[in-house]
Amino acid sequence: MKKILILFCFSILNSVAFAQKSGSIAGNLTANQEPIEFATITLSKLPDSTKIVYFTSSDSLGHFSFENINLGNYLMKVSLIGYKTAIQNIDLSEQNSPYILKDLRLSTDDKLLNEVVVTSQKKLIEKTTEGFIVNANANITQLGGTATDLLKNTPTVSVDAEGAITLRGKTPLILINGRNSNLTNTDQIPASSIESIEIINSASAKYDANAESGIINIKLKKNTQNGTNGAIAIGGGFGSRERANSALLINHKTDKWNIGLGYDNRFAGRTKRITSNRTNFNLPDKYYINQDRNDERVERLQNLKLNLDFAPNEKNAFAFEAIGNLEGQDNDELLNSIIQKQNNSFNTGNNRHSWEYKRSKVAEFALNYNHKYDNPQKSLSASITSSIENGKENTDISTQNIDENANNIGAIFWQRTHNYENGVISNAKLDYTLPISEKGILETGYKGIFRSIKTDFEMADKLENSYVINPASSNIFNFNEQVHAVYALYHSYFGTAEQPKVKYEFGLRAEQVNNNGETQNNSTHFTNNYLKLFPTANISYFINADEFWKLSYGKRINRPGLGQLNPFVDITDALNPHSGNPNLKPEIIHAVEISYNKEWDKVSLSSNVFYRHANNTIRNFFIAQNDGSVLNLPNNIGTADSYGLENIFTAKPTDFYDLNASISLFQQKLNGSNVSSDAIQSSFNWYGKLINNFALSKGGKLQVIANYNSAATTPQGRLIALYNVDLGFQQKLGKGNTRLGLVVVDVFNTLKSGSKNFTNEFTSSRSQKADTRAVMLTLAYTFKAAFKEKLLDNKFSKEF
């Protein structure tokens, strides 16, 4: 680690000493002598005109800018609904930087309907050669939501009612601004702070190998407008409980300095009802178990973000970022359980009341450095980040036994638990890119990930008038992990630099992993040290600049996280406890993908056929216990195979309407015969999204999004299908610096979750419904007209 820091500092000093000028691009967009806002401007680095390397949008004065970009040849595209796409080649050199485009005029579409005044809308999807980018501000159905809410309405991403996120049926790697973070709980990130969400389906060797189904990179907003700018927003709404939030953003930028401060809070109440039943075939006295649970929760979320940028010259840039997150939950839960014998006669019953108080704090710091050379194909970047988490969860539990007539019998049995967690995740990263031949570029780099986590779990039973700690259920668990990775990635092409016919890249990543975990009483101890190689390959064949095929291969790993390794047993529901498994092994995945991409004038299509094979695949497994309970425990269940087709289709059939439709279809087979003879499942799964955007009037837009997730396979059963519709409307007021937003989420109140399990020892079913339908209203105002109105979107959440 010390060597890494020395190398990082040496690189910075060396680069500053030899600093030279680089380039910037700026301009103004107009139409009919009026400024154009919310136009999408993209830059593609020639000769690869298909890969977007920079993108931005115009502000309310029509202004846009790209700063501190590599010198070279670019293809710039300007697009906006109701206007023809403008394309321009830009040769950016030291002599013509900054490159100024004054009064770049857009032409209206000849087919524009006379009756409709087109409202500017930012493009939702930007296609890249690695996947695509979703512009968060283009999603107005999640006003005031969190990153989880945005992901629910992101093409090809599946989010279940519990907030579990999957790509093609598996968990992706989630990064914040490209770094590993303790903010992996996406409910901790407000949607209003998100600039874009990048989906990387076929990650190269440059990225972490721990990305079994792809990568979701959440990019946080940073304003780069000159001068002082700011915005404030307030809002409120209701479902079955009230909800409220507010946000503030202020920014000041000079030639060399940029400082920004943002604050966001969110408060809400939530209700949930869960019903479940189970039949235990081998326990005649505990044959039928029926449970009914009601939750009432109050949630609080506050976020504070500081960014400080310094560019001593146009070749060197330093960026410091600090994020503070406070989250609180108060949960009042009542669980009624009835146990019957095989002949349907009453056995036992109880009412179990839990008061849960949860608080967590996250502090995250990042220092980044970038250096640019005269040769635009050469670059150097380095970063050091640290994410610190402190979490506390205290629960008071009372259990009252009841008879068959629901009358209380006996005394109340009191229990108390606490679960404390302190964790630190740090990253050290260095990337260097250089040309090694006329057509070849080599990317190399190092990344170190350092995790240290301590969890303290304690359970106590009340005996007479004092609580006595239960040593069999109390312990401290320490987990430490280091991942040292180096990679090399070679790019080249056949054909001309202006229009290559074939592009290819081959990469190799080596990761050395050292981790260990142990409990304080030595009941659990493990050590894993291993070196693994992860090759990747991507070959693209271009029919023309707007049409290409791509073949990809990658080897990946799924390392179990702390939650899956932690051996502590949660007994909030004594009949359905859950625990981690310290004996888990990493899952190894081989993935192959063939994709086709085509862009027409107003239509685009991306189609992908994929296959994935996994060994030691990790899945939750339910194990029947002699006391009638069923333990939920993650296990290496054997192998998993999935293959399928994924399509993303965008179109603008009329001048006031555009759509994005995505669908993922895949066959999945799970073979867990190494764990249980009945743990073999095979099924067809699919999920789809339809995003509709309407420009209804001047300054107004409507968005309707429909989601459907089919029933999904588990090792022992199925998850039920999920479906919902969200609606959002937004209207500019006055000169456009004020906006009013109205949202109705889960319009038809259909979003619920559930599961069914079938084993040789038991069958069970579970159904869960929260108050997901809600109506919310927000009002936002910006000062300084040139400010990009970033706080005018994404203000409310349907369920925190």
Side-chain angles (χ1 to χ4, degrees), residues 773-794:
R773 180 162 58 186
V775 179
M776 281 117 0
L777 188 70
T778 184
L779 181 68
Y781 171 77
T782 65
F783 61 88
K784 287 284 186 179
F787 179 67
K788 295 179 181 179
E789 296 151 316
K790 293 181 177 181
L791 284 187
L792 303 181
D793 297 307
N794 304 328

Side-chain angles (χ1 to χ4, degrees), residues 32 61 103 105-106 140 146 225-226 243 266 272 315 317 324 332 381 404 416 432 438 473 490 505 538 633 674:
N32 299 322
L61 297 181
D103 295 330
R105 294 179 176 86
L106 297 185
I140 65 172
T146 64
Q225 295 296 313
N226 288 323
R243 307 164 190 221
R266 191 170 289 104
K272 182 187 295 185
K315 284 292 185 180
D332 188 354
S381 65
E404 56 187 322
R416 187 170 63 190
Y432 182 60
E438 182 180 354
S473 302
Y490 177 73
E505 66 175 35
N538 293 282
L633 187 74
N674 63 310

Side-chain angles (χ1 to χ4, degrees), residues 99-117:
Y99 196 105
I100 305 298
L101 296 159
K102 295 183 178 180
D103 295 330
L104 183 61
R105 294 179 176 86
L106 297 185
S107 300
T108 56
D109 196 304
D110 293 336
K111 298 179 180 180
L112 183 64
L113 300 179
N114 295 329
E115 300 84 1
V116 178
V117 178

Side-chain angles (χ1 to χ4, degrees), residues 228-242:
T228 302
N229 309 277
I232 187 170
I234 58 173
F238 61 90
S240 62
R241 295 290 187 274
E242 293 74 21

